[in-house]
């Protein structure tokens, strides 16, 4: 830790406090003084939680923007998103669920199914092409997912829209 490479910006202001505390350490007060310095620093580190919340909100906005614009990529996955944004997939999964109320795969599936419904509404009739443009390689799997979300197979939904 140094001013050039801090753990948290602004820590330099606490250096005099640390130096003074170190000078006052005796065998009798070492535990209490160490604990009080640690508690003081923990309170400093957590006092700006709003910045952390803002950062995770911006991260979620960036992630959802990326998903919204790349949902048709059949390779899109939580792992890929985590790699792109340089976080672990566990962390991305946690904050995504916490922020959106749904997990990544549910969010992605809803987008893809909505895209399929939009395509059908615009006159698309080829289920394989609809699946492909919605981000699915396998039209059979697409049909299962579509039915789970729409209560009808894509073929039946297409017929009901004619």
């Amino acid at each position: 830790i140094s001013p050039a490479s801090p753990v948290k910006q602004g820590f330099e202001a606490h250096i005099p406090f640390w130096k003074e505390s170190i000078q006052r350490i005796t065998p009798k007060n070492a535990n209490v003084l160490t604990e009080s310095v640690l508690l003081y620093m923990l309170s400093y580190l957590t006092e700006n939680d709003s910045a952390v919340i803002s950062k995770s909100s911006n991260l979620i906005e960036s992630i959802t923007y990326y998903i919204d614009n790349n949902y048709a990529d059949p390779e899109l996955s939580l792992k890929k998103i985590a790699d792109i944004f340089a976080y672990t997939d566990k962390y991305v999964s946690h904050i995504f669920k916490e922020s959106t109320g749904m997990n990544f795969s549910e969010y992605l599936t809803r987008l893809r199914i909505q895209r399929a419904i939009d395509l059908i509404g615009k006159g698309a009739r080829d289920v394989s092409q609809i699946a492909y443009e919605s981000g699915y390689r396998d039209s059979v799997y697409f049909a299962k997912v579509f039915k789970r979300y729409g209560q009808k197979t894509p073929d039946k939904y297409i017929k009901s829209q004619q």
Side-chain angles (χ1 to χ4, degrees), residues 89-105:
D89 48 345
K90 275 188 170 183
Y91 178 72
V92 171
S93 176
H94 172 74
I95 65 164
F96 194 88
K97 173 87 175 188
E98 193 174 89
S99 298
T100 65
M102 63 183 88
N103 65 38
F104 167 81
S105 61

Side-chain angles (χ1 to χ4, degrees), residues 50-60 87 91:
S50 62
V52 172
I53 290 167
S54 174
K55 182 180 176 188
S56 68
S57 295
N58 290 339
L59 176 61
I60 290 302
Y87 289 94
Y91 178 72

Side-chain angles (χ1 to χ4, degrees), residues 69-83:
N69 289 288
N70 294 281
Y71 63 86
D73 174 4
E75 300 294 322
L76 190 60
S77 67
L78 181 62
K79 175 79 171 117
K80 184 174 182 176
I81 294 289
D83 289 346

Side-chain angles (χ1 to χ4, degrees), residues 104-135:
F104 167 81
S105 61
E106 183 180 356
Y107 183 85
L108 180 59
T109 301
R110 286 178 186 227
L111 267 179
R112 288 176 169 174
I113 296 303
Q114 187 56 54
R115 172 65 176 158
I117 290 169
D118 292 346
L119 288 168
I120 293 166
K122 292 177 181 175
R125 299 293 176 247
D126 181 0
V127 174
S128 294
Q129 187 62 32
I130 294 167
Y132 177 77
E133 290 184 34
S134 301

Side-chain angles (χ1 to χ4, degrees), residues 7-36:
V7 170
K8 182 172 181 172
Q9 297 296 329
F11 86 96
E12 304 87 4
H14 301 285
I15 292 174
F17 171 74
W18 295 340
K19 286 181 179 177
E20 183 184 323
S21 298
I22 290 169
Q23 290 171 352
R24 293 188 298 162
I25 289 180
T26 67
K28 288 184 179 182
N29 73 2
N31 286 342
V32 171
L33 194 55
T34 302
E35 186 177 331
S36 67

